[in-house]
Amino acid sequence: MVSLKQKLLGKPPKNGKFYIIAVDGRGGAGKTTLAEYLSKLLPDFSVINGDEYFERDTNTIAFGSFNAERFAQDVIKPIQAGLTNFTYHPYDW
């Protein structure tokens, strides 16, 4: 049996620096559970939970909304700049 880590490390990342594993799906589909499982399988990999960018929103009838601008600033832009170490700031409810 081949481990997920062995499989990933057997093929270098396309950007030569890091891997990105994105998990998407509807509410209640098990995304967080899968991400927690992956974090146990890959303990030296970083996991960023998109729920940490879900914030209160006064302009919606929903409970809140995903702050794509803050996510891009905290996560996407540092990755695009080639940074392998950066700090992101989860929303403080």
Side-chain angles (χ1 to χ4, degrees):
M1 178 182 228
V2 176
S3 76
L4 176 59
K5 184 175 181 178
Q6 288 173 330
K7 187 77 170 170
L8 286 171
L9 297 179
K11 184 176 181 183
K14 290 181 181 180
N15 64 15
K17 297 179 182 177
F18 50 83
Y19 299 89
I20 296 175
I21 300 171
V23 180
D24 188 20
R26 299 182 78 114
K31 299 177 299 294
T32 300
T33 302
L34 177 59
E36 288 170 357
Y37 179 69
L38 289 173
S39 72
K40 290 176 184 169
L41 288 176
L42 306 165
D44 48 342
F45 282 55
S46 297
V47 174
I48 298 172
N49 189 330
D51 288 348
E52 294 172 342
Y53 288 86
F54 191 84
E55 304 175 2
R56 290 184 182 157
D57 186 343
T58 59
N59 297 323
T60 181
I61 59 171
F63 178 65
S65 61
F66 182 76
N67 187 331
E69 183 178 323
R70 194 167 63 82
F71 183 76
Q73 186 66 38
D74 284 3
V75 180
I76 302 301
K77 287 182 181 179
I79 287 173
Q80 288 175 332
L83 300 177
T84 56
N85 292 316
F86 58 89
T87 302
Y88 73 100
H89 308 282
Y91 182 68
D92 182 6
W93 286 92

